Amino acid sequence: MTQSKILIKGARIVDPSQGINRIDNLFIKGKKIEKIGGSGGKDYEVIDAGGCIVTPGLIDVHTHLREPGGEDSETILSGSAAAVAGGFTTIMCMPNTNPPIDNAEVVKFVLDKASKAHCKVYPVAAITKKIEGKELTEMGEIIKSGAVGFSDDGKPVVSGEILRNALEYSQMFGVPIITHTEDPALAHDGVMHEGDISTELGLVGIPDISETAMLARDLIIAEYTGGRLHVCHLSAAYSPILIKNARMRGVQVTCEVTPHHLTLTDEIVKELDYDSNTKVNPPVRSAKDRIALQKALVNDIIDCIATDHAPHPPQEKDKEYNYAPFGMVGLETAVGLVFSELIHKKKLTLDAMVKAMSVNPARIFNLPGGTLKPGSLADVTIIDPNREWVVEARNFRSKSSNSPFLRRSLKGKTVMTIVEGSIKYSDT
Amino acid sequence: MSLKSKNLLGIEQLSKGEIFEILNAATSFRKILDRPIKKVPTLRGITVANLFFEDSTRTRTSFELAEKRLSAETVNFSASTSSLKKGESLRDTVENIEAMQVDIVVMRHSAPGAPNFLARRIKSAVINAGDGCHEHPTQALLDVYTMREYFPTFEGLRVVIVGDIKHSRVAGSDIRALKKLGASVAVCGPRTLLPIGIEKLGAEVYSDLNKAIKGANVLYLLRLQLERQHGGYIPSLREYTQLYGIDVDKLKLLSDDYIVMHPGPMNRGVEITQEVADHERAVILEQVTNGVAVRMAILYLSASLIRDLEK
């Protein structure tokens, strides 16, 4: 079999891992990046990418692929199709499946499905058996089977003792403990951000202290144990302050923010008249929170943009606000939102975006990718920053379409996704 | 003039003019209620479904009476008499109602926004009979109707609502209605039962009862839901009564022309003493009678947007 040869011509190559941000040609040979710039290109498949941006393949460290157990909302295959359509070459999937990814057998099942997927899929395994918060999973065997981290995401680790043990035990394997920081008593039965809008709509609020109080505890335990902590989906303005403070004290902590927390506020629940597609945990909060999260991303306090892609089938979501489940899909809207709301509005640079969506995720979870260095695997995303498009449910490759962004016009779209030298998505 | 929407989802949607239109229509229906034969043919041929997903005695009875006195056909669904359970199958219920070609749906539901959910999906008119802690528009309309019988104008009127504001749809709707009509509104209750941002609806906020009710024209007491005690919001009913219970001594702080209101059902001895509940200035039973007239007015105005009614 002949090796595929691709020449991506005339695009702006943005690769902060090498300090590159210039218009040049990118050569791919077989599964690897051959070179940037220079001559050649005879018998290469030429992709004219003038006006586009080429980045190391995007990496999403937080998705829910629902398989096993929730195949009516998503499968590893359909989720990976959504991923490549969104520009992601690598995704991590959370363990709150049914059964949960809490032992080596389920890790192997996921990796077996992943081997046939459109992009690279790495499982995150549960911190505790059955995600019950009581007993640690067999972390040694699980890591050996191919998981890249541990999380009880969807639920906090309520017991401080269990979190302490997890942060100590996981150090033997060099992977982070990923926490969903939420004090369930403070979150109460809330369904949206607690503030003026929740009062106006009569919906029970989730106060920001439900996140920050738990985050403060997690950071203190991480400091005490010397463990590695990665914090999911920050939503509150005070959270980056806590993270920054912990880092100054030497805590090994990284964190992420979602595109929806960067672009929406609680006003959306009113604007969309109780549409349960706006129901997400943690909830989108006030304008002050949104601005603080954007600034924390720019200031390198927040490391990653992660989607928290959480598909639900229509019969689950088409309910009264109180009874619909939390979560929104995000893989296919992330790039469009980041460009429309942040890049084009000059709130975020291209370099910062690529760091948050590729370089940092690869570094934090020790994944291949995050660079276009010659010799590295050719995971490449091509984005047309000026492509205008409308988010439509029928165009989603995800099996679900629970998005608050439906019918929204966006500017900026993934036009090609290349995974290890092979074109997995094209919309040129 | 008619209402802009056939639905009544909340006071939020109404203009001042629309509120007065409802009150004026209610005045003519109120007269019918004093006649020996309390029935008119106005809604003949109109079908109304009463969907009560949450227990309610007085609101449901009030709506049923209003419907019957207007000669509408009525059907009742309630969570206790059918297989409907909270939240399980609102969508399916909705489709069934649609298939049965009901003209107006009156709904009580524990989930805020449930009437909005319903209204988006059916052609029938939707009237909110209370949705969680959000709105209870017909209660607010009967409340302002009752106030209007005692006070010539809402301008300068001072209304103080006392009790569990956080969990009260009545407070939410009353504040909205009174602010639209030009009254001044204060809310008062323990700090744990005052929701964040309530002042954005236009209410002054107090925790000191004596300060709050000083010089008020209308003292509006809310039922203290007994289960709130177990939610940790208040330490005991005894302490609540000590701090916020209204007895005849407290009435002395009010304006000379005061009235006392309560949406019912009352906890005598908790938020209100027996003496105040039965006081000559307490208009609580008048609220109930007016409620039927106001609901007749709403049903009439809504139905008139669906089809031409015989006058």
Side-chain angles (χ1 to χ4, degrees), chain A residues 315-359:
Chain A
Q315 70 273 17
E316 290 287 319
K317 271 289 192 183
D318 197 9
K319 281 184 183 167
E320 302 90 312
Y321 206 84
N322 278 1
Y323 306 129
F326 289 103
M328 46 180 74
V329 292
L331 283 167
E332 293 169 83
T333 47
V335 163
L337 287 167
V338 168
F339 270 84
S340 302
E341 298 297 324
L342 301 176
I343 306 267
H344 290 311
K345 292 184 178 172
K346 311 260 182 243
K347 288 177 181 161
L348 191 70
T349 63
L350 283 171
D351 284 293
M353 180 207 117
V354 177
K355 263 198 221 163
M357 296 183 79
S358 184
V359 180

Side-chain angles (χ1 to χ4, degrees), chain A residues 120-167:
Chain A
K120 290 181 268 195
V121 179
Y122 293 98
V124 174
I127 297 170
T128 62
K129 289 174 186 157
K130 297 183 187 163
I131 317 191
E132 285 178 342
K134 290 178 188 156
E135 283 176 73
L136 293 186
T137 53
E138 293 168 325
M139 292 186 167
E141 191 186 20
I142 286 171
I143 289 301
K144 212 188 273 175
S145 316
V148 295
F150 294 99
S151 182
D152 279 1
D153 180 52
K155 286 188 194 171
V157 180
V158 176
S159 157
E161 187 190 22
I162 293 285
L163 182 68
R164 174 208 173 145
N165 292 344
L167 280 163

Side-chain angles (χ1 to χ4, degrees), chain A residues 196 199-200 202 273 318 320, chain B residues 91 116 120-121 196 200:
Chain A
D196 302 345
T199 294
E200 189 182 336
D273 195 25
D318 197 9
E320 302 90 312
Chain B
R91 189 200 155 102
N116 306 58
R120 269 203 301 273
R121 286 162 176 80
I196 200 164
K200 295 278 166 65

Side-chain angles (χ1 to χ4, degrees), chain B residues 270-291:
Chain B
V270 180
E271 70 268 10
I272 189 167
T273 61
Q274 179 93 339
E275 247 180 314
V276 174
D278 299 332
H279 197 276
E280 58 177 3
R281 295 289 188 93
V283 299
I284 298 161
L285 293 174
E286 288 167 48
Q287 288 173 267
V288 177
T289 311
N290 294 338

